[in-house]
Amino acid sequence: MMRSARFALALGCTLSVTLAACSDADKPAAGADGQSEADTSTLAKAQEAGRIRIGYANEAPFAYMDSSAGQLTGEAPEVLRHVLDELGIKEVEGVLTEFGSLIPGLQANRFDIIAAGMYVTPERCKQAIFSNPTYGIGSAFVVREGNPKALDSFAAVAQDDSARLGVVVGAIEAEYADKSGVPAARVVVFPDAASALAGVQAGRVDAYAATSLTVNDLLGKGKATGVERAEPFTDPVIDGKDVRGYGAFAFRNDDTALRDAVNEKLAAFIGSPAHLEAVSPFGFTEAELPGDTTAAMLCGEG
């Protein structure tokens, strides 16, 4: 039966005007956008469906559910919505996930993009690919009023044998603490920012380390009594370099087409008046622009 089919195909080619036309018949038909029907990339499927799923960790101001509006918002979702809209993807479905489970969830296809303000680090670059960053910021501490232990840096925590530091599971601050010499026994890991803040208020920890914008958001809501931001504060120096965190979108390793399309749109958007207007409600200003920093640089590739 297979031999007969091949013979019929060969005969069809002979009767064809050109051999090239027959050769083209063996290829999958192309869609209206020129993509092959065999193209099953995440980008192609999302464009066809007009929607995509994104993972977030409910951490303001980066990505969180606004209960009053019933909508996922924050710096990352708002920037991504603009980019995806430019790509013809109009609907975004948020999938709430603990921060430490975001990359495993991405790899398990629970969602297609991580939009949670995740910092780009060489270790994470081994597990996922990243867009170029959308912002760059430093760290901060939440401490009890008066900062009784005078904790103004990760180094200060390391030097005080009685000081305990709170971090959120999977967050980069745990790495900063380790590389600053804070013993693991004095680091308390919390599931989210709200519980870490409560840990400071209850005296479980003496400071909670997070991004400066996370701390601003927590303290700016007016409900965080008995605590304050540690002022002044010195960012850690890791491997001889001042640390500044750069957040970006993460994708599965084989989704280079989606990552590249997002990067192309980000290049035209980040730093524009429309971008600054979109992120200003979340405390982002020109001071948090990423400049010329790229994902390749942050991953140690260039």
Side-chain angles (χ1 to χ4, degrees):
M1 186 68 179
M2 184 176 294
R3 185 185 299 271
S4 299
R6 288 176 178 168
F7 176 78
L9 178 59
L11 180 60
C13 289
T14 302
L15 297 176
S16 170
V17 176
T18 65
L19 188 59
C22 179
S23 179
D24 287 341
D26 286 334
K27 299 178 181 178
D33 60 357
Q35 290 180 312
S36 164
E37 289 180 354
D39 185 351
T40 57
S41 73
T42 301
L43 173 60
K45 288 188 290 186
Q47 287 177 320
E48 181 179 359
R51 62 180 180 274
I52 200 166
R53 293 173 300 168
I54 66 173
Y56 72 103
N58 213 37
E59 180 183 359
F62 302 103
Y64 61 98
M65 182 59 66
D66 183 344
S67 56
S68 61
Q71 177 172 303
L72 174 61
T73 189
E75 182 269 344
E78 296 305 332
V79 170
L80 188 58
R81 279 194 182 98
H82 172 88
V83 167
L84 294 176
D85 186 73
E86 293 267 308
L87 294 172
I89 303 168
K90 308 296 183 181
E91 183 180 340
V92 172
E93 177 188 347
V95 180
L96 178 60
T97 306
E98 284 191 359
F99 193 90
S101 298
L102 282 168
I103 290 181
L106 177 71
Q107 294 170 332
N109 296 314
R110 289 190 60 219
F111 38 82
D112 302 305
I113 305 174
I114 295 174
M118 179 175 282
Y119 282 5
V120 185
T121 67
E123 184 60 35
R124 287 172 179 161
C125 292
K126 297 175 184 177
Q127 306 172 68
I129 57 175
F130 287 85
S131 70
N132 289 325
T134 62
Y135 70 85
I137 59 173
S139 300
F141 279 1
V142 175
V143 294
R144 289 194 292 278
E145 282 185 347
N147 196 2
K149 291 185 181 292
L151 301 176
D152 58 3
S153 65
F154 286 88
V157 177
Q159 293 164 5
D160 186 337
D161 292 338
S162 68
R164 294 164 297 169
L165 183 68
V167 299
V168 168
V169 60
I172 194 67
E173 284 75 25
E175 181 179 332
Y176 292 168
D178 177 62
K179 291 188 175 182
S180 297
V182 181
R186 290 199 279 115
V187 176
V188 180
V189 180
F190 294 91
D192 52 44
S195 58
L197 173 64
V200 178
Q201 291 172 312
R204 290 187 59 196
V205 293
D206 300 292
Y208 160 44
T211 71
S212 59
L213 288 175
T214 297
V215 170
N216 287 347
D217 183 79
L218 286 172
L219 300 183
K221 293 178 179 178
K223 298 180 181 179
T225 59
V227 293
E228 64 185 31
R229 177 172 175 156
E231 295 285 4
F233 181 82
T234 303
D235 277 313
V237 176
I238 306 297
D239 298 327
K241 298 179 181 179
D242 290 333
V243 170
R244 184 173 174 85
Y246 291 87
F249 305 115
F251 311 81
R252 286 183 289 274
N253 288 331
D254 57 353
D255 277 337
T256 55
L258 179 58
R259 187 273 313 274
D260 292 347
V262 168
N263 269 343
E264 181 181 353
K265 300 302 181 183
L266 283 176
F269 185 56
I270 299 299
S272 69
H275 166 247
L276 293 172
E277 181 181 356
V279 300
S280 63
F282 311 110
F284 290 79
T285 68
E286 290 187 35
E288 282 74 49
L289 290 176
D292 296 328
T293 302
T294 65
M297 295 165 58
L298 297 167
C299 290
E301 301 169 3

